[in-house]
Amino acid sequence: MKNDIQIVRTAADLSRVTESWKAENLKIGFVPTMGALHDGHLSLVKLALENADRCIVSIFVNPTQFAPHEDFGRYPRDEVGDTAKLAGAGTHLVYMPEAKEIYPDGPVSTIKAGKAAQGLEGDFRPTHFDGVATVVHRLFEQVRPDIAVFGEKDFQQLQVIREMVAAHNMGVEIIGAPIIRDAYGLALSSRNAYLSADELNAARQLNLILSATTKGGNIQAAKSAVLAAGFTKIDYIERRWGRLLAAAWIGKTRLIDNME
Ligand code: AMP
C-alpha cells in the first residue's frame, strides 16, 4: 500500500494536520524514532495502523539522550530512504523537526525519568533516560497522539515511558511491540550498520547465548560465552521484569538485547 505521505518539519504545521484529523474524530497513532529505519521500526508502524486511523512517525536524533562521548555525531541519517520506507508502510505523516523546534531553549533535559530508569542502562548511561523522557514528553505535546508504539527491543525504555505517561497524566495509550530479528536472531538495530562482517558474526551469537540462558543457564557462564563469541566488553547481563536483559560492546559499537 502506498500513501501520499505528508512531510512536516514544524510543530505549527503538524498541529494544523492533527487538528483537522481530530475534528474528523480520527484516532492518531504515533511512532517516535531516530531514523535509519529498518523492519523493526516498520513493524511499529504496522501496529500503530492496526490500533489507530492515522499514523505519524517522527524522525529526530535526540541530542539529550546521548552523552558527550557517545555516537550522536556519527549516528546514521537517511531522510530520503526513511521517507520512502514509511510511505511504503502506509504512514500518513512523517515529522522531522529541527532541534530548535523541540528545544527552543537549547538541548537540555527538563523531565526526570522515574524509578524504571535506575540500574541496567541507567548505570552505564546515567543521563540517557532523562533525555528520552524529555523528548518523548515534548513530542507527545506536539503530536497529541491517542496511542504510541514503542519496541520491546528497548525494554527498559518502554518501562520508563509507561511510568512517565502515568506520572504526567498524559493520557496516551502505550503499546509495546515485539523485537524484530534477522535470520540469525540478531535484533535489528540502526547501530548494526556500524558492524564489520566479523563483528556481525559475533553480534549474531548474543541472542543464542541469551536464549540458552533463559532456559536455566547461569549468568556468569553467559558472560564468558559472550566474550568468547567476540564481544569486547559487557555492561550487564541481568534479570529484571521477568526478562533477561543485556548490553555489550563489540569494539566501538554497543548492542542491547533482551528476552522473556
Ligand atoms: P530508535 O530509532 O532506535 O530510537 O527506535 C525507535 C523505536 O523502534 C523504539 O521504540 C525501539 O524500541 C523500536 N525498535 C528498534 N529496533 C527494533 C526491533 N528490532 N524490533 C522492534 N522494535 C524496535
Side-chain angles (χ1 to χ4, degrees), residues 32-35 38 40-41 44 75 150-151 153-154 157 178-180 187-188:
T33 81
M34 299 205 299
H38 49 64
H41 297 110
L44 272 49
Y75 197 84
F150 290 83
K153 161 83 182 352
D154 300 274
Q157 166 174 283
I179 302 176
I180 303 298
L188 299 188

Side-chain angles (χ1 to χ4, degrees), residues 31-44 58 60 65 75 149-155 157-158 175 177-182 186-192 256:
V31 179
T33 81
M34 299 205 299
L37 301 180
H38 49 64
D39 286 347
H41 297 110
L42 300 183
S43 77
L44 272 49
S58 63
F60 180 64
Q65 71 189 71
Y75 197 84
V149 186
F150 290 83
E152 290 182 346
K153 161 83 182 352
D154 300 274
F155 198 84
Q157 166 174 283
L158 175 60
I175 298 176
I179 302 176
I180 303 298
R181 299 175 179 279
D182 75 3
L186 172 66
L188 299 188
S189 164
S190 308
R191 289 190 169 100
N192 293 349
I256 60 171

Side-chain angles (χ1 to χ4, degrees), residues 57-244:
V57 175
S58 63
I59 298 178
F60 180 64
V61 185
N62 173 36
T64 63
Q65 71 189 71
F66 291 81
H69 61 276
E70 291 181 347
D71 57 343
F72 175 72
R74 67 179 187 122
Y75 197 84
R77 289 158 169 90
D78 178 16
E79 253 191 33
V80 175
D82 286 349
T83 305
K85 287 177 194 168
L86 291 175
T91 309
H92 296 89
L93 184 151
V94 55
Y95 179 43
M96 298 190 282
E98 282 186 35
K100 67 175 188 327
E101 206 63 31
I102 302 292
Y103 297 113
D105 303 321
V108 283
S109 293
T110 50
I111 304 288
K112 199 118 189 69
K115 277 220 297 283
Q118 289 165 16
L120 301 170
E121 292 294 298
D123 287 343
F124 295 90
R125 308 182 73 191
T127 58
H128 172 67
F129 284 126
D130 290 345
V132 169
T134 298
V135 77
V136 172
H137 190 277
R138 182 76 175 148
L139 287 167
F140 280 7
E141 286 176 331
Q142 295 186 343
V143 175
R144 297 192 300 121
D146 298 288
I147 64 137
V149 186
F150 290 83
E152 290 182 346
K153 161 83 182 352
D154 300 274
F155 198 84
Q156 189 174 13
Q157 166 174 283
L158 175 60
Q159 309 314 310
V160 167
I161 301 300
R162 288 192 192 282
E163 236 177 39
M164 189 271 288
V165 165
H168 294 259
N169 288 306
M170 298 202 81
V172 179
E173 183 193 341
I174 304 299
I175 298 176
I179 302 176
I180 303 298
R181 299 175 179 279
D182 75 3
Y184 301 85
L186 172 66
L188 299 188
S189 164
S190 308
R191 289 190 169 100
N192 293 349
Y194 299 150
L195 301 171
S196 69
D198 282 351
E199 290 175 334
L200 185 61
N201 281 332
R204 285 174 166 157
Q205 303 300 309
L206 178 63
N207 72 93
L208 301 175
I209 297 164
L210 290 181
S211 164
T213 310
T214 59
K215 297 177 187 107
N218 155 295
I219 291 207
Q220 257 332 310
K223 287 185 176 173
S224 305
V226 167
L227 292 173
F231 280 78
T232 46
K233 183 166 159 272
I234 296 167
D235 280 354
Y236 59 83
I237 300 181
E238 229 178 284
R239 293 195 169 87
R240 190 159 159 196
W241 298 298
R243 298 183 83 91
L244 185 64

